[in-house]
């Protein structure tokens, strides 16, 4: 996968790109520390963000967040900024 070739990537800004979903291959970016998804029309924050350890993700206020992702946030394994 093309995304898999970016395994050392630590920051990814996808702000305001009209995204409504993310590819499952995003989970290959295990060194990713910050993901900016703000101003994208996600109805629900994609679960794939929970597969990246110690990730900080920025998402728009309108995106719903699943209980599974909220649980990861409570355990300190994911940080979500709105």
């Amino acid at each position: 996968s093309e995304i898999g070739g970016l395994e050392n990537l630590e920051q990814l800004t996808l702000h305001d790109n009209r995204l409504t979903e993310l590819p499952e291959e995003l989970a290959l970016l295990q060194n990713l520390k910050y993901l900016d998804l703000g101003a994208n029309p996600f109805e629900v924050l994609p679960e794939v963000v929970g597969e990246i350890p110690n990730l900080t993700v920025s998402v728009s206020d309108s995106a719903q967040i699943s209980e599974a992702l909220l649980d990861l946030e409570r355990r300190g394994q994911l940080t979500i900024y709105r």
Side-chain angles (χ1 to χ4, degrees):
S1 151
E2 293 176 26
I3 290 177
L6 302 172
E7 64 270 351
N8 293 320
L9 189 68
E10 292 185 4
Q11 294 185 31
L12 181 57
T13 299
L14 299 172
H15 189 89
D16 200 12
N17 277 287
R18 299 182 184 154
L19 299 174
T20 57
E21 58 186 47
L22 294 174
E24 289 298 317
E25 293 85 5
L26 193 70
L28 297 173
L29 303 179
Q30 292 292 296
N31 291 312
L32 195 64
K33 300 297 176 216
Y34 178 74
L35 176 61
D36 182 353
L37 298 175
N40 284 294
F42 291 107
E43 289 183 27
V44 176
L45 182 60
E47 294 283 327
V48 69
V49 301
E51 298 176 32
I52 303 169
N54 303 310
L55 181 66
T56 296
V57 61
S58 176
V59 66
S60 66
D61 288 340
S62 62
Q64 299 296 311
I65 300 172
S66 73
E67 192 59 39
L69 292 179
L70 288 173
D71 188 50
L72 286 174
E73 185 177 39
R74 282 190 288 273
R75 288 187 273 151
Q77 298 170 343
L78 177 67
T79 304
I80 302 170
Y81 287 112
R82 291 184 167 265

